[in-house]
Amino acid sequence: KAGVTQTPRYLIKTRGQQVTLSCSPISGHRSVSWYQQTPGQGLQFLFEYFSETQRNKGNFPGRFSGRQFSNSRSEMNVSTLELGDSALYLCASSWMTSGSYNEQFFGPGTRLTVL
Amino acid sequence: GIQVEQSPPDLILQEGANSTLRCNFSDSVNNLQWFHQNPWGQLINLFYIPSGTKQNGRLSATTVATERYSLLYISSSQTTDSGVYFCMLQGAQKLVFGQGTRLTINP
């Protein structure tokens, strides 16, 4: 089975721009979660989608948004980029049952640099 | 929300040594995982262990949910074991990571 894939792997943007990252889950997985990793804050949960619906959200501003398509692929968007948005963005997929997460499998990440 | 604390933050050992990494949490959990993050940032699944004990080669893990901690054991360390180890658990519908333990294995 193919693992979780993320595109692009590296991205350089300037302040004020917007960016869209993509995540394709493991076949059959319907839950996709997104995380931000920075040296200062560590790994932080952004949001989680299940069957095209956002089920849970972390403590991030509204500039961070996402969506999930009917094939379970997910995208996250960051608008009006700030320098502090420079980070490794990771997505994970799982075979989520109702109300509880099962084992999470992570993609290789997208490293975003904001200049 | 649930709090997660990993210890020690840093660990430096010689090749062949054994190590124990700890993950304490503040509330009951439904889901606990251990990961190894490689130098390229990829999180590698080690164990999915909400409770009990599991072993995989030189690695093993134990979670005592009633006492709110989990331990990751690495025996006969190799230089390829170097990296950051994270525990992650589910609390209040969010997945929460510890701050990680940076393990350095010197030849």
Side-chain angles (χ1 to χ4, degrees):
Chain A
K1 233 182 210 184
V4 179
T5 58
Q6 291 186 245
T7 57
R9 294 293 312 279
Y10 302 92
L11 206 48
I12 299 175
K13 292 285 189 178
T14 56
R15 278 181 297 174
Q17 288 186 308
Q18 75 165 16
V19 66
T20 299
L21 312 181
S22 180
C23 173
S24 293
I26 291 171
S27 177
H29 286 188
R30 295 168 65 192
S31 168
V32 174
S33 303
W34 288 89
Y35 304 82
Q36 181 196 64
Q37 185 176 25
T38 60
Q41 298 298 316
L43 278 152
Q44 294 185 285
F45 173 78
L46 278 157
F47 30 65
E48 184 261 342
Y49 287 86
F50 179 74
S51 293
E52 301 179 65
T53 301
Q54 185 182 92
R55 294 174 66 94
N56 296 297
K57 191 176 191 307
N59 298 322
F60 279 81
R63 300 186 296 107
F64 291 82
S65 63
R67 59 178 175 168
Q68 186 179 34
F69 302 94
S70 59
N71 62 358
S72 295
R73 189 178 70 85
S74 178
E75 290 181 347
M76 68 162 282
N77 184 275
V78 188
S79 62
T80 318
L81 284 166
E82 301 176 359
L83 294 178
D85 297 332
S86 294
L88 179 66
Y89 290 88
L90 293 160
C91 83
S93 74
S94 72
W95 180 263
M96 182 180 176
T97 53
S98 59
S100 182
Y101 293 93
N102 291 314
E103 187 172 6
Q104 301 281 307
F105 294 88
F106 281 81
T110 294
R111 193 167 294 277
L112 172 66
T113 301
V114 181
L115 303 177
Chain B
I2 194 165
Q3 304 297 315
V4 184
E5 183 180 337
Q6 288 188 244
S7 61
D10 292 280
L11 189 57
I12 301 174
L13 298 171
Q14 291 297 121
E15 202 167 22
N18 301 328
S19 57
T20 301
L21 283 58
R22 189 177 181 100
C23 174
N24 289 338
F25 41 95
S26 61
D27 206 346
S28 58
V29 296
N30 299 320
N31 173 350
L32 190 147
Q33 285 185 251
W34 283 96
F35 296 93
H36 175 208
Q37 188 167 40
N38 67 20
W40 298 273
Q42 173 92 51
L43 285 168
I44 309 298
N45 289 43
L46 296 178
F47 295 101
Y48 173 73
I49 186 164
S51 63
T53 297
K54 291 185 178 180
Q55 180 155 9
N56 184 4
R58 298 182 294 104
L59 275 62
S60 64
T62 295
T63 297
V64 184
T66 54
E67 297 188 19
R68 299 181 182 168
Y69 72 88
S70 183
L71 301 174
L72 176 69
Y73 304 97
I74 304 174
S75 64
S76 304
S77 298
Q78 301 174 357
T79 56
T80 52
D81 294 330
S82 295
V84 184
Y85 290 79
F86 291 99
C87 64
M88 180 188 79
L89 45 88
Q90 177 186 357
Q93 299 302 314
K94 296 177 184 178
L95 292 167
V96 180
F97 279 88
Q99 289 298 308
T101 292
R102 181 174 298 277
L103 177 64
T104 302
I105 305 296
N106 292 322

